[in-house]
Amino acid sequence: MSDPPGPHQRQPLASGGAPLDAADAAVVLVHGRGATAESILEMAGEFQARGVAYLAPQAAGNSWYPYSFLAPTEENEPGLSSGLRAVGDAVETAADAGIPAGRVVLVGFSQGACLASEFVARNARRYGGLAVLSGGLIGPEGTPRDYDGSLDGTPVFLGCSDADPHIPLERVKETTRVLESLNGDVTERIYPGMGHGVNREELDAVGELVAGVAPD
């Protein structure tokens, strides 16, 4: 019996770029707290790749879970599990259209970056790429990171400020270590004094991930 739908399962899946049934690759964009699927879809305008479909799940109430990603995991349920399922459903939607995980790039910002990185760690396999923009793995300090599987060389980009009011630097570095231990090809960039946002270098890094899965 499948799990009952959570709070995010009745939300729409926004899309942009190439029509999914004609696309050769896909990017799953996961928005942050208080934002929308449509707003993070605007990031697709930064990339010039053709033949790429962009998919963005929407959180109920515009937030995937109610508390900090550092809070005890159970306090963020059922939103957390439902959000992870929403990300997985977007990847599955691409698969149903004939786009394998190896040509799917997952990109998240802030709360969405936490959700995307946690999803990839819990479902380790070869993906087209993962970009974690101002985020990290979910759970309080000391959370066991006993994930199974291998990312099999998946290119991963982590970008964050050293002075982010929401994302401790040590959690970014822990996320790097965990994803490397899962055989991810990880690039970590820490930006002095940037605060909580996305800069040009990060967009360029995501653009390289997207170009890596786009058809020639």
Side-chain angles (χ1 to χ4, degrees):
M1 180 180 295
S2 60
D3 294 334
H8 308 307
Q9 267 58 67
R10 295 184 179 87
Q11 300 301 308
L13 179 65
S15 62
L20 188 58
D21 58 1
D24 294 301
V27 178
V28 174
L29 296 159
V30 189
H31 69 77
R33 184 191 300 274
T36 66
E38 294 293 342
S39 68
I40 198 168
L41 265 181
E42 294 177 6
M43 187 183 292
E46 298 286 339
F47 317 127
Q48 303 303 318
R50 295 183 297 176
V52 178
Y54 297 89
L55 304 173
Q58 173 65 49
N62 300 335
S63 292
W64 295 108
Y65 42 85
Y67 301 109
S68 164
F69 77 123
L70 304 173
T73 302
E74 60 272 18
E75 294 184 4
N76 277 321
E77 297 292 8
L80 173 56
S81 292
S82 178
L84 292 168
R85 184 173 168 188
V87 175
D89 288 346
V91 174
E92 190 63 29
T93 295
D96 290 345
I99 303 172
R103 293 207 303 272
V104 174
V105 176
L106 295 98
V107 181
F109 170 67
S110 190
Q111 195 181 58
C114 299
L115 204 62
S117 59
E118 187 69 33
F119 172 82
V120 167
R122 292 190 187 193
N123 300 275
R125 60 191 297 188
R126 171 72 193 200
Y127 294 93
L130 168 66
V132 183
L133 307 176
S134 299
L137 293 170
I138 294 172
E141 184 177 350
T143 297
R145 303 299 181 189
D146 49 355
Y147 306 106
D148 295 325
S150 171
L151 295 175
D152 192 21
T154 295
V156 177
F157 176 84
L158 288 97
C160 194
S161 171
D162 67 342
D164 191 308
H166 305 290
I167 314 297
L169 183 57
E170 174 50 36
R171 180 55 56 92
V172 178
K173 294 189 172 298
E174 178 187 7
T175 302
T176 293
R177 292 193 297 271
V178 170
L179 296 177
E180 285 179 336
S181 74
L182 289 169
N183 300 315
D185 181 8
V186 181
T187 298
E188 177 194 284
R189 292 285 183 269
I190 304 299
Y191 302 100
M194 184 178 74
H196 194 65
V198 178
N199 65 27
R200 183 71 255 170
E201 183 176 308
E202 291 178 297
L203 290 173
D204 290 344
V206 177
E208 290 181 9
L209 293 178
V210 176
V213 298
D216 295 332

